[in-house]
Amino acid sequence: MATFLPRLVFPTLDSLPRSYFLGHHRAGLNKMKTMLSSIDLIIECRDYRVPLSSRNPLFEENLAGRQRLIVYTKQDLGSEGREADKLREATIRDFHAPTPILFSSHKTPRSIRTILSFARAHAHSSYTLTGSRMMIVGMPNVGKSSLLNALRKLGVHKGKAAQTGDQPGVTRKIGTTVKIIAATDAAQGVYLVDTPGVFVPYVPNAEAMLKLALCGSVKDTIISPTTMADYLLFQLNLQSPVLYGEWAPPTNDVMALLAGVARKTGRLQRGGVPDFDASALWLIQRWRTGHLGRFVLDQVTDESLRRDHMEIENLSGSLSQARRLGKEERRLRSKARHVEAG
């Protein structure tokens, strides 16, 4: 029996969409800028599974001048507490120093208490008569609203204040101010403002776009489900083919895997033909919820962090060009749809 050899490089897909910068993203960012004078702290959320790809330079460019806390959300979906996970987190902390870094899961009270303690200490150091106001920002679907709800539940024992969902775009406007720490005679209250996710105007790296799509930062209709499933298979094989062993033997053929998923889960069309798209979406959702391995998609090393920082710096210097590229891509996609419809 031949030894299985996983792909070490995923094929480049030049036709992949590179833009998801929508109208409400732009409107939300503009509104955030107008509110900045009343904000004491920016809490920027990034997805733990894509710590490099989920960084958005628009926040650093447009919300400068305020202290920033970076929270890597969904830690429970990318870490199993292994030594490699701890070393990765230490590498990220060291690189971003002195900017404070926290790793969190909205399902873990301990990590939520850590964020509340930071917010309380920051509020104490910047006392105002009306209480401390903080703003939570991030790419679409990185878990901002879930984190806000968890902070509110643990901080003031109140129910959900923000809607959440599996797909991006649930929060489309700036939310109302939500109390997460009550005022006392000795300390002021702390209030948090929820905001819509804001995507980068243009993603120059096709693989980064696939990673963000796999994590749910773009709607599942933007990139073909089978393409996302193929990239997931590529990543699963780098971890262990055992992760999908109940549906197929080790393989680099995504259609073979999806056929196995379709048969085992009953996702079949008339005549017993596998429904590949439905099977792909089901498989992707299994990974998104932590039932198909808990691992990070980005390679995190000192070198990759420096390289990413340089790429972001170059992008920051040409964001207007990136916006034009994104706008042109959307125009071409719209034109192609009209041609197909005609």
Side-chain angles (χ1 to χ4, degrees):
M1 183 177 177
T3 302
F4 172 69
L5 296 175
R7 294 171 289 180
L8 298 180
V9 178
F10 192 77
T12 301
L13 301 174
D14 292 329
S15 61
L16 202 70
R18 305 288 186 85
S19 175
Y20 191 64
F21 189 63
L22 306 177
H24 72 272
H25 296 175
R26 183 183 294 104
L29 187 62
N30 289 338
K31 180 66 174 177
M32 292 177 214
K33 290 165 64 176
T34 67
M35 298 175 65
L36 204 56
S37 61
S38 64
I39 299 298
D40 306 316
L41 176 72
I42 300 293
I43 301 178
E44 182 186 341
C45 294
R46 299 177 185 174
D47 193 317
Y48 186 97
R49 299 166 296 178
V50 280
L52 305 184
S53 301
S54 59
R55 177 186 175 191
N56 189 340
L58 287 176
F59 297 128
E60 293 161 57
E61 180 188 75
N62 290 275
L63 305 180
R66 289 292 178 271
Q67 186 174 337
R68 192 162 51 112
L69 165 68
I70 299 175
V71 177
Y72 288 89
T73 60
K74 306 186 182 183
Q75 182 187 29
D76 59 309
L77 299 179
S79 170
E80 294 182 341
R82 299 162 296 193
E83 191 61 30
D85 296 321
K86 295 175 183 177
L87 286 173
R88 183 192 314 110
E89 291 172 12
T91 299
I92 291 172
R93 276 199 186 97
D94 291 345
F95 181 81
H96 288 297
T99 300
I101 303 291
L102 294 175
F103 302 93
S104 174
S105 163
H106 71 273
K107 300 176 182 177
T108 308
R110 182 179 178 183
S111 68
I112 299 303
R113 289 193 187 96
T114 301
I115 299 173
L116 285 170
S117 295
F118 184 96
R120 189 177 290 110
H122 184 273
H124 182 73
S125 67
S126 56
Y127 186 83
T128 63
L129 292 174
T130 57
S132 178
R133 278 167 168 72
M134 304 177 180
M135 180 182 286
I136 189 166
V137 304
M139 292 272 273
N141 216 22
V142 294
K144 299 179 300 299
S145 298
S146 294
L147 178 58
L148 182 149
N149 287 333
L151 291 168
R152 175 178 163 86
K153 179 179 179 181
L154 206 57
V156 294
H157 310 293
K158 298 287 187 180
K160 286 186 177 182
Q163 285 187 306
T164 60
D166 294 333
Q167 290 290 291
V170 175
T171 305
R172 299 178 70 88
K173 295 181 179 180
I174 303 291
T176 56
T177 303
V178 175
K179 183 189 295 183
I180 60 170
I181 298 175
T184 66
D185 292 339
Q188 63 179 331
V190 178
Y191 302 85
L192 194 57
V193 179
D194 194 18
T195 65
V198 177
F199 205 78
V200 291
Y202 185 75
V203 181
N205 184 322
E207 190 169 356
M209 188 70 177
L210 277 172
K211 292 174 182 177
L212 290 168
L214 194 54
C215 289
S217 282
V218 303
K219 284 191 175 180
D220 290 338
T221 54
I222 301 298
I223 295 176
S224 163
T226 54
T227 299
M228 289 195 288
D230 191 22
Y231 187 70
L232 175 58
L233 175 61
F234 166 73
Q235 289 284 352
L236 290 171
N237 280 332
L238 294 179
Q239 301 296 318
S240 172
V242 173
L243 291 169
Y244 58 84
E246 64 181 290
W247 305 298
T251 181
N252 288 316
D253 183 354
V254 70
M255 292 308 184
L257 172 58
L258 294 179
V261 168
R263 286 192 297 270
K264 291 290 182 68
T265 64
R267 286 169 168 77
L268 302 170
Q269 297 174 322
R270 184 174 298 177
V273 177
D275 188 330
F276 290 111
D277 281 354
S279 299
L281 290 170
W282 183 84
L283 195 70
I284 291 164
Q285 194 59 26
R286 292 287 292 175
W287 180 76
R288 286 175 180 169
T289 52
H291 294 98
L292 202 56
R294 300 166 188 261
F295 53 87
V296 171
L297 302 179
D298 282 335
Q299 288 289 105
V300 179
T301 63
D302 287 331
E303 177 58 31
S304 67
L305 283 164
R306 281 194 294 270
R307 186 170 59 249
D308 177 73
H309 183 74
M310 289 179 63
E311 289 177 357
I312 292 294
E313 288 297 310
N314 291 335
L315 180 61
S316 296
S318 58
L319 277 175
S320 58
Q321 180 184 359
R323 291 187 184 99
R324 285 195 296 272
L325 287 169
K327 185 176 181 180
E328 177 63 12
E329 186 192 358
R330 289 193 297 274
R331 187 188 69 79
L332 291 174
R333 286 212 314 269
S334 177
K335 182 179 179 181
R337 284 196 297 269
H338 285 309
V339 169
E340 290 173 2

Short mmCIF file of all heavy atoms in Angstrom, two decimals, residues 85-141:
data_model
loop_
_atom_site.label_atom_id
_atom_site.label_comp_id
_atom_site.label_asym_id
_atom_site.label_seq_id
_atom_site.Cartn_x
_atom_site.Cartn_y
_atom_site.Cartn_z
N ASP A 85 0.84 25.63 21.25
CA ASP A 85 -0.14 26.72 21.36
C ASP A 85 0.38 27.82 22.28
O ASP A 85 0.26 29.01 21.98
CB ASP A 85 -1.48 26.20 21.89
CG ASP A 85 -2.13 25.20 20.94
OD1 ASP A 85 -2.05 25.41 19.71
OD2 ASP A 85 -2.69 24.20 21.42
N LYS A 86 0.98 27.41 23.39
CA LYS A 86 1.52 28.39 24.35
C LYS A 86 2.69 29.16 23.76
O LYS A 86 2.82 30.38 23.97
CB LYS A 86 1.94 27.68 25.63
CG LYS A 86 0.77 27.04 26.38
CD LYS A 86 1.25 26.23 27.57
CE LYS A 86 0.08 25.53 28.27
NZ LYS A 86 0.53 24.67 29.39
N LEU A 87 3.54 28.47 22.99
CA LEU A 87 4.68 29.14 22.36
C LEU A 87 4.20 30.13 21.31
O LEU A 87 4.76 31.23 21.18
CB LEU A 87 5.60 28.10 21.72
CG LEU A 87 6.45 27.26 22.69
CD1 LEU A 87 7.18 26.15 21.94
CD2 LEU A 87 7.46 28.15 23.42
N ARG A 88 3.15 29.76 20.55
CA ARG A 88 2.60 30.66 19.55
C ARG A 88 2.06 31.93 20.20
O ARG A 88 2.30 33.05 19.73
CB ARG A 88 1.49 29.96 18.77
CG ARG A 88 0.91 30.81 17.64
CD ARG A 88 -0.37 30.23 17.07
NE ARG A 88 -0.28 28.81 16.80
CZ ARG A 88 -0.91 27.87 17.48
NH1 ARG A 88 -1.71 28.21 18.50
NH2 ARG A 88 -0.78 26.60 17.18
N GLU A 89 1.33 31.77 21.29
CA GLU A 89 0.77 32.92 21.99
C GLU A 89 1.88 33.82 22.54
O GLU A 89 1.78 35.05 22.48
CB GLU A 89 -0.14 32.44 23.12
CG GLU A 89 -1.42 31.78 22.59
CD GLU A 89 -2.25 31.13 23.68
OE1 GLU A 89 -1.95 31.38 24.88
OE2 GLU A 89 -3.20 30.38 23.36
N ALA A 90 2.94 33.20 23.06
CA ALA A 90 4.07 33.99 23.58
C ALA A 90 4.75 34.77 22.45
O ALA A 90 5.14 35.94 22.62
CB ALA A 90 5.07 33.07 24.27
N THR A 91 4.86 34.15 21.28
CA THR A 91 5.47 34.82 20.12
C THR A 91 4.65 36.04 19.71
O THR A 91 5.19 37.11 19.42
CB THR A 91 5.57 33.83 18.94
OG1 THR A 91 6.41 32.73 19.31
CG2 THR A 91 6.17 34.51 17.71
N ILE A 92 3.32 35.89 19.70
CA ILE A 92 2.44 37.00 19.33
C ILE A 92 2.54 38.12 20.37
O ILE A 92 2.63 39.30 20.01
CB ILE A 92 0.97 36.50 19.20
CG1 ILE A 92 0.85 35.58 17.98
CG2 ILE A 92 0.01 37.68 19.08
CD1 ILE A 92 -0.49 34.88 17.87
N ARG A 93 2.53 37.76 21.65
CA ARG A 93 2.63 38.78 22.71
C ARG A 93 3.94 39.56 22.59
O ARG A 93 3.96 40.79 22.67
CB ARG A 93 2.57 38.11 24.09
CG ARG A 93 1.18 37.84 24.59
CD ARG A 93 1.21 37.63 26.10
NE ARG A 93 -0.10 37.24 26.59
CZ ARG A 93 -0.48 35.99 26.81
NH1 ARG A 93 0.37 35.01 26.59
NH2 ARG A 93 -1.68 35.72 27.26
N ASP A 94 5.03 38.84 22.42
CA ASP A 94 6.34 39.49 22.36
C ASP A 94 6.45 40.42 21.15
O ASP A 94 7.01 41.51 21.25
CB ASP A 94 7.46 38.43 22.29
CG ASP A 94 7.61 37.65 23.58
OD1 ASP A 94 7.06 38.11 24.62
OD2 ASP A 94 8.24 36.58 23.56
N PHE A 95 5.88 39.99 20.03
CA PHE A 95 5.99 40.80 18.81
C PHE A 95 5.23 42.11 18.95
O PHE A 95 5.70 43.16 18.48
CB PHE A 95 5.46 40.01 17.60
CG PHE A 95 5.57 40.77 16.31
CD1 PHE A 95 6.77 40.80 15.62
CD2 PHE A 95 4.49 41.46 15.79
CE1 PHE A 95 6.88 41.51 14.43
CE2 PHE A 95 4.60 42.17 14.60
CZ PHE A 95 5.80 42.20 13.92
N HIS A 96 4.05 42.07 19.58
CA HIS A 96 3.20 43.27 19.66
C HIS A 96 3.50 44.15 20.86
O HIS A 96 2.91 45.24 20.97
CB HIS A 96 1.73 42.86 19.68
CG HIS A 96 1.22 42.36 18.36
ND1 HIS A 96 1.18 43.13 17.24
CD2 HIS A 96 0.74 41.14 17.99
CE1 HIS A 96 0.69 42.43 16.23
NE2 HIS A 96 0.42 41.21 16.66
N ALA A 97 4.37 43.72 21.75
CA ALA A 97 4.70 44.53 22.92
C ALA A 97 5.16 45.92 22.47
O ALA A 97 5.85 46.04 21.45
CB ALA A 97 5.79 43.84 23.74
N PRO A 98 4.73 47.00 23.16
CA PRO A 98 4.03 47.02 24.45
C PRO A 98 2.50 47.02 24.34
O PRO A 98 1.82 47.18 25.34
CB PRO A 98 4.51 48.34 25.05
CG PRO A 98 4.66 49.24 23.86
CD PRO A 98 5.16 48.36 22.75
N THR A 99 1.93 46.86 23.13
CA THR A 99 0.47 46.78 23.01
C THR A 99 -0.03 45.56 23.79
O THR A 99 0.47 44.45 23.57
CB THR A 99 0.05 46.65 21.53
OG1 THR A 99 0.52 47.79 20.81
CG2 THR A 99 -1.47 46.57 21.41
N PRO A 100 -0.99 45.73 24.69
CA PRO A 100 -1.49 44.59 25.45
C PRO A 100 -2.24 43.59 24.57
O PRO A 100 -3.00 43.98 23.69
CB PRO A 100 -2.42 45.23 26.49
CG PRO A 100 -2.78 46.56 25.93
CD PRO A 100 -1.62 47.00 25.10
N ILE A 101 -2.00 42.30 24.83
CA ILE A 101 -2.58 41.21 24.05
C ILE A 101 -3.28 40.25 25.01
O ILE A 101 -2.71 39.86 26.03
CB ILE A 101 -1.51 40.44 23.26
CG1 ILE A 101 -0.72 41.37 22.33
CG2 ILE A 101 -2.13 39.27 22.50
CD1 ILE A 101 -1.52 41.91 21.17
N LEU A 102 -4.51 39.85 24.67
CA LEU A 102 -5.21 38.84 25.44
C LEU A 102 -5.78 37.80 24.49
O LEU A 102 -6.14 38.11 23.35
CB LEU A 102 -6.35 39.46 26.27
CG LEU A 102 -5.93 40.41 27.41
CD1 LEU A 102 -7.17 41.03 28.05
CD2 LEU A 102 -5.08 39.70 28.45
N PHE A 103 -5.87 36.56 24.96
CA PHE A 103 -6.46 35.47 24.19
C PHE A 103 -7.72 35.02 24.93
O PHE A 103 -7.71 34.84 26.15
CB PHE A 103 -5.47 34.31 24.06
CG PHE A 103 -4.19 34.71 23.40
CD1 PHE A 103 -3.09 35.11 24.16
CD2 PHE A 103 -4.07 34.72 22.01
CE1 PHE A 103 -1.90 35.50 23.56
CE2 PHE A 103 -2.88 35.11 21.40
CZ PHE A 103 -1.80 35.51 22.17
N SER A 104 -8.80 34.84 24.17
CA SER A 104 -10.09 34.68 24.84
C SER A 104 -11.03 33.75 24.09
O SER A 104 -10.92 33.57 22.88
CB SER A 104 -10.75 36.05 25.00
OG SER A 104 -12.05 35.93 25.52
N SER A 105 -11.95 33.17 24.85
CA SER A 105 -13.12 32.49 24.30
C SER A 105 -14.32 33.00 25.07
O SER A 105 -14.29 33.05 26.30
CB SER A 105 -13.00 30.98 24.47
OG SER A 105 -14.27 30.36 24.29
N HIS A 106 -15.37 33.39 24.35
CA HIS A 106 -16.54 33.92 25.05
C HIS A 106 -17.23 32.84 25.88
O HIS A 106 -18.08 33.14 26.71
CB HIS A 106 -17.53 34.54 24.06
CG HIS A 106 -18.25 33.55 23.21
ND1 HIS A 106 -17.75 33.08 22.01
CD2 HIS A 106 -19.45 32.94 23.37
CE1 HIS A 106 -18.60 32.22 21.48
NE2 HIS A 106 -19.65 32.11 22.28
N LYS A 107 -16.83 31.59 25.69
CA LYS A 107 -17.41 30.48 26.46
C LYS A 107 -16.62 30.18 27.74
O LYS A 107 -17.04 29.34 28.53
CB LYS A 107 -17.46 29.22 25.59
CG LYS A 107 -18.30 29.36 24.33
CD LYS A 107 -18.22 28.11 23.49
CE LYS A 107 -19.02 28.25 22.21
NZ LYS A 107 -18.90 27.04 21.34
N THR A 108 -15.50 30.86 27.92
CA THR A 108 -14.63 30.59 29.07
C THR A 108 -14.66 31.76 30.05
O THR A 108 -14.05 32.80 29.79
CB THR A 108 -13.18 30.34 28.59
OG1 THR A 108 -13.18 29.35 27.56
CG2 THR A 108 -12.30 29.87 29.75
N PRO A 109 -15.35 31.62 31.18
CA PRO A 109 -15.46 32.72 32.14
C PRO A 109 -14.12 33.29 32.58
O PRO A 109 -13.99 34.50 32.79
CB PRO A 109 -16.23 32.10 33.30
CG PRO A 109 -17.02 30.99 32.69
CD PRO A 109 -16.15 30.45 31.60
N ARG A 110 -13.13 32.44 32.73
CA ARG A 110 -11.82 32.91 33.20
C ARG A 110 -11.24 33.96 32.26
O ARG A 110 -10.73 34.99 32.71
CB ARG A 110 -10.86 31.73 33.34
CG ARG A 110 -9.48 32.12 33.86
CD ARG A 110 -8.60 30.90 34.00
NE ARG A 110 -7.26 31.25 34.45
CZ ARG A 110 -6.26 30.38 34.61
NH1 ARG A 110 -6.48 29.10 34.36
NH2 ARG A 110 -5.08 30.78 35.00
N SER A 111 -11.31 33.71 30.94
CA SER A 111 -10.74 34.67 29.99
C SER A 111 -11.59 35.94 29.93
O SER A 111 -11.05 37.04 29.72
CB SER A 111 -10.63 34.04 28.60
OG SER A 111 -11.91 33.80 28.02
N ILE A 112 -12.89 35.82 30.14
CA ILE A 112 -13.76 37.00 30.16
C ILE A 112 -13.45 37.86 31.38
O ILE A 112 -13.42 39.10 31.29
CB ILE A 112 -15.24 36.58 30.15
CG1 ILE A 112 -15.56 35.78 28.88
CG2 ILE A 112 -16.15 37.80 30.24
CD1 ILE A 112 -15.26 36.50 27.58
N ARG A 113 -13.20 37.22 32.51
CA ARG A 113 -12.82 37.98 33.72
C ARG A 113 -11.52 38.75 33.51
O ARG A 113 -11.35 39.86 34.03
CB ARG A 113 -12.69 37.03 34.91
CG ARG A 113 -14.01 36.46 35.42
CD ARG A 113 -13.85 35.78 36.77
NE ARG A 113 -15.07 35.10 37.15
CZ ARG A 113 -15.32 33.81 36.94
NH1 ARG A 113 -14.39 33.06 36.35
NH2 ARG A 113 -16.47 33.28 37.30
N THR A 114 -10.60 38.15 32.76
CA THR A 114 -9.32 38.83 32.49
C THR A 114 -9.55 40.11 31.70
O THR A 114 -8.94 41.15 31.98
CB THR A 114 -8.38 37.89 31.70
OG1 THR A 114 -8.14 36.70 32.46
CG2 THR A 114 -7.04 38.58 31.43
N ILE A 115 -10.43 40.06 30.71
CA ILE A 115 -10.74 41.26 29.92
C ILE A 115 -11.45 42.30 30.78
O ILE A 115 -11.16 43.50 30.71
CB ILE A 115 -11.59 40.89 28.69
CG1 ILE A 115 -10.83 39.93 27.79
CG2 ILE A 115 -11.98 42.14 27.90
CD1 ILE A 115 -11.63 39.37 26.63
N LEU A 116 -12.37 41.85 31.64
CA LEU A 116 -13.07 42.77 32.54
C LEU A 116 -12.08 43.44 33.50
O LEU A 116 -12.19 44.64 33.77
CB LEU A 116 -14.14 42.02 33.34
CG LEU A 116 -15.42 41.65 32.58
CD1 LEU A 116 -16.27 40.71 33.42
CD2 LEU A 116 -16.22 42.90 32.19
N SER A 117 -11.11 42.68 33.98
CA SER A 117 -10.10 43.25 34.88
C SER A 117 -9.27 44.31 34.17
O SER A 117 -8.96 45.36 34.74
CB SER A 117 -9.19 42.14 35.41
OG SER A 117 -9.91 41.24 36.21
N PHE A 118 -8.93 44.04 32.91
CA PHE A 118 -8.18 45.03 32.13
C PHE A 118 -9.01 46.29 31.93
O PHE A 118 -8.51 47.41 32.11
CB PHE A 118 -7.79 44.44 30.77
CG PHE A 118 -6.94 45.36 29.94
CD1 PHE A 118 -5.57 45.24 29.94
CD2 PHE A 118 -7.51 46.37 29.16
CE1 PHE A 118 -4.77 46.11 29.19
CE2 PHE A 118 -6.73 47.23 28.41
CZ PHE A 118 -5.35 47.10 28.42
N ALA A 119 -10.28 46.11 31.57
CA ALA A 119 -11.16 47.27 31.35
C ALA A 119 -11.34 48.07 32.62
O ALA A 119 -11.34 49.31 32.60
CB ALA A 119 -12.52 46.79 30.84
N ARG A 120 -11.46 47.38 33.75
CA ARG A 120 -11.64 48.06 35.04
C ARG A 120 -10.39 48.87 35.40
O ARG A 120 -10.49 50.03 35.83
CB ARG A 120 -11.93 47.03 36.13
CG ARG A 120 -12.34 47.63 37.47
CD ARG A 120 -12.70 46.55 38.47
NE ARG A 120 -13.95 45.88 38.13
CZ ARG A 120 -14.04 44.64 37.70
NH1 ARG A 120 -12.94 43.91 37.51
NH2 ARG A 120 -15.23 44.11 37.43
N ALA A 121 -9.23 48.27 35.19
CA ALA A 121 -7.97 48.96 35.50
C ALA A 121 -7.77 50.15 34.57
O ALA A 121 -7.31 51.22 35.00
CB ALA A 121 -6.80 47.98 35.37
N HIS A 122 -8.11 49.99 33.30
CA HIS A 122 -7.96 51.10 32.36
C HIS A 122 -8.91 52.24 32.72
O HIS A 122 -8.54 53.42 32.67
CB HIS A 122 -8.24 50.63 30.93
CG HIS A 122 -8.01 51.69 29.90
ND1 HIS A 122 -8.98 52.60 29.53
CD2 HIS A 122 -6.91 52.02 29.19
CE1 HIS A 122 -8.49 53.42 28.63
NE2 HIS A 122 -7.24 53.08 28.39
N ALA A 123 -10.14 51.90 33.10
CA ALA A 123 -11.10 52.94 33.49
C ALA A 123 -10.62 53.68 34.73
O ALA A 123 -10.80 54.91 34.84
CB ALA A 123 -12.46 52.29 33.76
N HIS A 124 -10.01 52.97 35.64
CA HIS A 124 -9.51 53.60 36.87
C HIS A 124 -8.40 54.61 36.57
O HIS A 124 -8.27 55.63 37.25
CB HIS A 124 -9.00 52.52 37.82
CG HIS A 124 -8.51 53.06 39.14
ND1 HIS A 124 -9.37 53.54 40.11
CD2 HIS A 124 -7.25 53.23 39.64
CE1 HIS A 124 -8.67 53.96 41.14
NE2 HIS A 124 -7.38 53.78 40.89
N SER A 125 -7.61 54.32 35.50
CA SER A 125 -6.49 55.20 35.16
C SER A 125 -6.91 56.39 34.32
O SER A 125 -6.11 57.29 34.07
CB SER A 125 -5.42 54.40 34.41
OG SER A 125 -5.89 53.99 33.14
N SER A 126 -8.17 56.41 33.85
CA SER A 126 -8.64 57.52 33.01
C SER A 126 -10.04 57.93 33.44
O SER A 126 -11.00 57.79 32.69
CB SER A 126 -8.64 57.10 31.53
OG SER A 126 -9.42 55.94 31.36
N TYR A 127 -10.15 58.42 34.65
CA TYR A 127 -11.46 58.70 35.25
C TYR A 127 -12.18 59.84 34.53
O TYR A 127 -11.59 60.86 34.19
CB TYR A 127 -11.29 59.07 36.73
CG TYR A 127 -12.62 59.23 37.43
CD1 TYR A 127 -13.31 58.13 37.91
CD2 TYR A 127 -13.18 60.50 37.58
CE1 TYR A 127 -14.53 58.27 38.53
CE2 TYR A 127 -14.41 60.66 38.20
CZ TYR A 127 -15.08 59.54 38.68
OH TYR A 127 -16.30 59.68 39.29
N THR A 128 -13.47 59.64 34.27
CA THR A 128 -14.33 60.69 33.72
C THR A 128 -15.64 60.69 34.49
O THR A 128 -16.03 59.67 35.09
CB THR A 128 -14.63 60.47 32.23
OG1 THR A 128 -15.36 59.25 32.08
CG2 THR A 128 -13.35 60.40 31.40
N LEU A 129 -16.36 61.79 34.47
CA LEU A 129 -17.62 61.90 35.22
C LEU A 129 -18.71 60.99 34.64
O LEU A 129 -19.61 60.54 35.37
CB LEU A 129 -18.09 63.36 35.23
CG LEU A 129 -17.23 64.34 36.03
CD1 LEU A 129 -17.74 65.76 35.83
CD2 LEU A 129 -17.23 63.98 37.51
N THR A 130 -18.64 60.75 33.33
CA THR A 130 -19.71 59.98 32.68
C THR A 130 -19.40 58.50 32.54
O THR A 130 -20.19 57.75 31.95
CB THR A 130 -19.99 60.57 31.28
OG1 THR A 130 -18.77 60.54 30.52
CG2 THR A 130 -20.50 61.99 31.38
N GLY A 131 -18.26 58.06 33.05
CA GLY A 131 -17.90 56.65 32.91
C GLY A 131 -16.99 56.42 31.71
O GLY A 131 -16.92 57.25 30.80
N SER A 132 -16.31 55.30 31.72
CA SER A 132 -15.38 54.98 30.65
C SER A 132 -16.11 54.33 29.48
O SER A 132 -16.91 53.40 29.67
CB SER A 132 -14.30 54.02 31.17
OG SER A 132 -13.41 53.66 30.15
N ARG A 133 -15.85 54.83 28.26
CA ARG A 133 -16.47 54.28 27.06
C ARG A 133 -15.43 53.64 26.17
O ARG A 133 -14.42 54.26 25.84
CB ARG A 133 -17.24 55.38 26.31
CG ARG A 133 -18.62 55.61 26.92
CD ARG A 133 -19.29 56.86 26.46
NE ARG A 133 -20.70 56.87 26.87
CZ ARG A 133 -21.11 57.03 28.12
NH1 ARG A 133 -20.22 57.18 29.09
NH2 ARG A 133 -22.40 57.03 28.41
N MET A 134 -15.71 52.39 25.79
CA MET A 134 -14.78 51.61 24.98
C MET A 134 -15.50 51.14 23.73
O MET A 134 -16.72 50.98 23.73
CB MET A 134 -14.25 50.42 25.78
CG MET A 134 -13.59 50.84 27.09
SD MET A 134 -13.02 49.46 28.09
CE MET A 134 -12.33 50.37 29.50
N MET A 135 -14.74 50.92 22.67
CA MET A 135 -15.32 50.49 21.39
C MET A 135 -14.70 49.17 20.97
O MET A 135 -13.48 49.01 21.00
CB MET A 135 -15.07 51.56 20.32
CG MET A 135 -15.64 51.21 18.94
SD MET A 135 -15.25 52.48 17.71
CE MET A 135 -16.38 53.79 18.21
N ILE A 136 -15.54 48.22 20.58
CA ILE A 136 -15.06 46.91 20.14
C ILE A 136 -15.13 46.85 18.63
O ILE A 136 -16.18 47.13 18.03
CB ILE A 136 -15.87 45.79 20.82
CG1 ILE A 136 -15.25 44.43 20.56
CG2 ILE A 136 -17.34 45.81 20.43
CD1 ILE A 136 -15.78 43.33 21.47
N VAL A 137 -14.01 46.53 17.96
CA VAL A 137 -13.94 46.53 16.50
C VAL A 137 -13.28 45.24 16.03
O VAL A 137 -12.68 44.50 16.81
CB VAL A 137 -13.15 47.75 15.97
CG1 VAL A 137 -13.74 49.06 16.47
CG2 VAL A 137 -11.66 47.65 16.35
N GLY A 138 -13.39 44.98 14.72
CA GLY A 138 -12.75 43.80 14.16
C GLY A 138 -13.31 43.46 12.80
O GLY A 138 -14.27 44.06 12.32
N MET A 139 -12.72 42.48 12.17
CA MET A 139 -13.20 41.98 10.88
C MET A 139 -14.56 41.33 11.07
O MET A 139 -14.96 41.00 12.20
CB MET A 139 -12.20 40.96 10.34
CG MET A 139 -10.86 41.56 9.94
SD MET A 139 -10.80 42.15 8.24
CE MET A 139 -10.32 40.65 7.40
N PRO A 140 -15.31 41.11 10.00
CA PRO A 140 -16.62 40.46 10.14
C PRO A 140 -16.53 39.07 10.77
O PRO A 140 -15.63 38.29 10.45
CB PRO A 140 -17.12 40.37 8.69
CG PRO A 140 -16.41 41.48 7.97
CD PRO A 140 -15.06 41.54 8.60
N ASN A 141 -17.45 38.80 11.69
CA ASN A 141 -17.62 37.47 12.27
C ASN A 141 -16.42 36.97 13.07
O ASN A 141 -16.19 35.77 13.16
CB ASN A 141 -17.97 36.45 11.18
CG ASN A 141 -18.95 35.40 11.69
OD1 ASN A 141 -19.67 35.60 12.66
ND2 ASN A 141 -18.97 34.26 11.04
#
